[in-house]
Amino acid sequence: HTSYLLDKQMVTRILDNLVSNASKFSAAGKNIYLTISDEQSQLFFSVRDEGPGIAAEEQPNMFRRFRKLSTRPTGGEGSSGLGLSIVKTLVDCMKGQIKVSSTPGVGTEILVSLPAVVA
């Protein structure tokens, strides 16, 4: 069991936003996958959904404040356009990286890597 010195509140907020988005944009009966791993002083986690996906031309705007994409929540929920912007800011604060992989009609995966000082 490895322990990392990361800001617990920031990591919790990142995961909360990512899982909330995956849930918001996935239809009932679809799956959401959370994967966590570590290697070489890096903590990795990904949240993958089976939602509608995000078109390639919209992906560069995903992490901008107040940007709403053409994809809409499946249950009629609202979207402020801030969730992924907050995630990006928190990941940047911890000197991490965030990547998106999405295929329209298949789903979206967001992968976060955070450098960690092993405790």
Side-chain angles (χ1 to χ4, degrees), residues 12-89:
T12 300
R13 187 130 184 231
I14 290 167
L15 286 170
D16 181 56
N17 273 306
L18 293 179
V19 171
S20 174
N21 268 7
S23 176
K24 192 184 295 186
F25 289 93
S26 294
K30 294 292 184 176
N31 296 305
I32 296 170
Y33 304 89
L34 175 62
T35 306
I36 300 173
S37 62
D38 64 336
E39 61 182 69
Q40 300 174 355
S41 298
Q42 292 274 331
L43 178 64
F44 297 93
F45 55 87
S46 74
V47 177
R48 180 171 60 91
D49 64 45
E50 296 175 342
I54 300 158
E57 62 271 10
E58 290 191 287
Q59 290 178 24
N61 294 321
M62 287 179 58
F63 300 107
R64 292 192 175 154
R65 290 177 55 150
F66 303 112
R67 283 299 181 103
K68 295 181 184 181
L69 307 178
S70 62
T71 305
R72 290 282 154 249
T74 57
E77 304 93 336
S79 176
S80 66
L82 284 173
L84 290 177
S85 171
I86 291 168
V87 167
K88 175 80 166 106
T89 299

Side-chain angles (χ1 to χ4, degrees), residues 4-5 7 18 27 37 40 54 69 74 78 92 94 102 104 112 118:
Y4 291 97
L5 299 176
D7 187 303
L18 293 179
S37 62
Q40 300 174 355
I54 300 158
L69 307 178
T74 57
D92 288 348
M94 290 187 285
S102 186
V112 173
V118 180

